[in-house]
Amino acid sequence: MNSTSSDLLAPLDLAFWNIETAEHPMHLGALGVFEADGPGAAGHAYELLAARAAGVPGLRMRIAGVLVPVGGAARVPVTEFDPLDHVRLTEPVDDFHAAAGALMQRTLDRARPPWEAHVLPAADGTSFAVLFKFHHALADGLRALTLAAAVMDPMDLPIARAPKEEPARRRGLSLPFPGMREITLGDLDPRRYPDHVRSVVSSATQAVAIGASVARATWGVRTSPALTSRASGTRRTAGVVLDLDDVHRIRKTVGGTVNDVLIAVVAGAVRRWLDERGDGSEGVEPRALIPVSRRRPRTAHPQGNRLSGYLVRLPVAEPDPLERLRVVRAAMDRRKDRGPNRGAGAVALLADHVPPLGHRLGGSLVGQNARLLFDLLVTSVPLPSLGLRLGGCPLTEVFPLAPLAQGQSLAVAVSTYRGRVHYGLVADARAVPDLDVLARAVTEEVRALIAACAP
């Protein structure tokens, strides 16, 4: 295949494509719940999704290997595209999340465009849900939102600004060279070199600094066995809905950002969950990876993942909910001061320094060691404030679902939609059979914070 005529995967896309296994699929998801306007609403939604998917170019792209660069891959359009290979209508279900968990554990067909949409009618006929699944190599959270919105009912949206031209990808620095003397920190000062060499040295210096931060982040790790697991290949999901006004009330009392509050809620919920299941929270301080998008919110291109992140130790062992929030806020402030391109949380940027063949050959090794980098994922997925509809039926709830890395038991994704906060929880079903307890603990933690903020 001629790579010049296709959309080459960015290094991080390649990493997601190559670390996938049958037990650890690398697709993200979203479970949207719609209010049904009649007994045939789910069937009508299925027909609309299938019809509209055929007209969305991004949904016709599959992942295929390329000759150059060696080990690389690209998104290429399929010549024969059947939406019914991707859009399915299930039998009526009693529990949307139970059905979503079973569907999330199934890998996507890698020979076809890697996405699916499952329409789930409610057994009582009052609602239906749609579970979208997109492989992380096909789309990140923002791109997945764009693709899903393209099959919703048309609505007036602000015109997206044209994206700025991406700078040329920096090349990694191969060291050592024959006869090279020992390099000092002064030698690595980018100001001493012309532009091209300066960019190479800066890139290599950044990689070395991130690697060192990752190594330091493993020192003195105090996590819980409940957050790590052997690969079972099973999935369980749960959802929690909070009032955004409650979150703002807490934020205004303590300070910080809405995101600080939402992360602190996760810390408190994990504490309650560990104590209730008998594992104990004493001394537990798990590392949470907080992804940070490196693209403009309204920019759908380039399609590849543009992610960095912050690594924060959650104060699970701290008994006071307000102190947990203060610790999270201080930690996030420190990370933001340094920026998303530095520190252990920027580990995703290291993918840029690995050649395509390295991703292909080393993907399984990276996947097996994900738990050495962080203990759980806590990510935020932006949603439009305008109400979405499908077949005239309003979207009332939407739960983002993150992929689960190998050796980890829990991933948390959060979205704010029309005045409410939606937590989407994904867990290894065997390691976390009590995910409902954790979901309940999220609500309890918010109540505890509100009570602590009361005069």
Side-chain angles (χ1 to χ4, degrees):
M1 181 184 298
N2 183 358
S3 63
T4 61
S5 63
S6 57
D7 179 19
L8 284 173
L9 296 190
L12 189 54
D13 303 334
L14 268 179
F16 287 135
W17 189 247
N18 285 298
I19 66 176
E20 181 175 63
T21 66
E23 293 77 20
H24 288 88
M26 289 306 299
H27 53 254
L28 48 86
L31 180 67
V33 179
F34 296 82
E35 180 181 326
D37 59 2
H44 182 47
Y46 162 72
E47 294 171 354
L48 284 176
L49 290 175
R52 292 171 179 173
V56 181
L59 297 178
R60 304 173 67 98
M61 307 294 282
R62 70 182 183 92
I63 309 297
V66 297
L67 295 177
V68 179
V70 177
R75 302 177 192 86
V76 297
V78 296
T79 55
E80 296 183 3
F81 174 71
D82 185 352
L84 297 184
D85 289 334
H86 305 268
V87 182
R88 288 85 182 261
L89 177 64
T90 74
E91 294 295 322
V93 300
D94 294 314
D95 185 332
F96 290 142
H97 280 286
L103 292 169
M104 283 294 289
Q105 68 191 34
R106 301 180 189 174
T107 55
L108 294 165
D109 187 342
R110 292 167 67 96
R112 291 173 173 163
W115 69 274
E116 291 175 354
H118 298 265
V119 181
L120 313 171
D124 63 7
T126 61
S127 62
F128 65 90
V130 179
L131 174 67
F132 286 101
K133 295 167 55 178
F134 295 98
H135 198 287
H136 226 323
L138 178 69
D140 61 8
L142 288 174
R143 177 64 178 166
L145 172 62
T146 301
L147 293 173
V151 292
M152 295 289 106
D153 291 353
M155 62 179 182
D156 295 329
L157 290 174
I159 299 175
R161 297 179 180 178
K164 292 183 178 180
E165 183 177 351
E166 286 286 306
R169 189 174 304 283
R170 294 174 175 174
R171 298 177 181 175
L173 179 64
S174 178
L175 294 173
F177 294 125
M180 177 179 282
R181 65 180 175 81
E182 182 178 359
I183 296 178
T184 67
L185 292 177
D187 293 324
L188 295 180
D189 185 349
R191 293 171 296 184
R192 297 183 56 185
Y193 296 86
D195 290 344
H196 175 69
V197 177
R198 184 185 305 158
S199 68
V200 172
V201 173
S202 295
S203 182
T205 304
Q206 180 192 43
V208 171
I210 293 173
S213 296
V214 170
R216 288 194 297 269
T218 62
W219 299 347
V221 172
R222 293 177 291 168
T223 187
S224 168
L227 296 174
T228 59
S229 68
R230 294 181 178 271
S232 73
T234 59
R235 293 291 180 271
R236 186 183 303 273
T237 76
V240 185
V241 181
L242 306 177
D243 192 324
L244 184 58
D245 287 342
D246 289 339
V247 177
H248 279 302
R249 190 185 315 167
I250 298 167
R251 178 191 62 80
K252 290 177 182 178
T253 301
V254 182
T257 67
V258 166
N259 202 42
D260 293 341
V261 177
L262 299 179
I263 295 170
V265 167
V266 173
V270 169
R271 173 184 172 83
R272 294 170 183 274
W273 171 61
L274 292 178
D275 287 343
E276 184 164 342
R277 73 189 335 236
D279 291 342
S281 58
E282 184 178 355
V284 175
E285 196 178 41
R287 299 160 301 167
L289 179 63
I290 317 292
V292 177
S293 176
R294 297 166 59 216
R295 71 162 84 227
R296 290 173 177 268
R298 294 179 181 174
T299 300
H301 299 283
Q303 295 184 26
N305 283 274
R306 297 292 188 273
L307 295 172
S308 183
Y310 302 128
L311 191 70
V312 176
R313 295 203 179 193
L314 298 182
V316 171
E318 171 57 51
D320 180 15
L322 288 183
E323 184 59 25
R324 284 196 294 270
L325 177 51
R326 294 188 186 99
V327 171
V328 167
R329 177 188 175 188
M332 289 296 291
D333 285 346
R334 288 194 297 270
R335 303 303 184 275
K336 291 172 186 175
D337 287 343
R338 297 182 65 187
N341 298 330
R342 300 175 59 191
V347 64
L349 301 183
L350 295 181
D352 290 344
H353 302 275
V354 179
L357 187 59
H359 283 293
R360 177 173 294 182
L361 297 178
S364 61
L365 181 62
V366 172
Q368 292 170 13
N369 289 280
R371 73 181 187 87
L372 298 178
L373 304 176
F374 60 97
D375 300 303
L376 76 159
L377 182 74
V378 182
T379 184
S380 177
V381 181
L383 290 175
S385 57
L386 298 176
L388 297 174
R389 291 176 176 269
L390 180 58
C393 299
L395 176 67
T396 58
E397 297 177 341
V398 56
F399 302 97
L401 303 172
L404 197 59
Q406 185 169 345
Q408 295 170 342
S409 303
L410 177 67
V412 180
V414 191
S415 284
T416 301
Y417 177 68
R418 296 182 68 79
R420 298 200 294 177
V421 177
H422 295 78
Y423 278 84
L425 310 179
V426 178
D428 183 286
R430 293 184 185 172
V432 188
D434 55 347
L435 189 61
D436 58 319
V437 175
L438 178 61
R440 186 175 68 249
V442 170
T443 301
E444 292 171 350
E445 180 64 13
V446 172
R447 291 173 182 167
L449 281 166
I450 292 173
C453 290

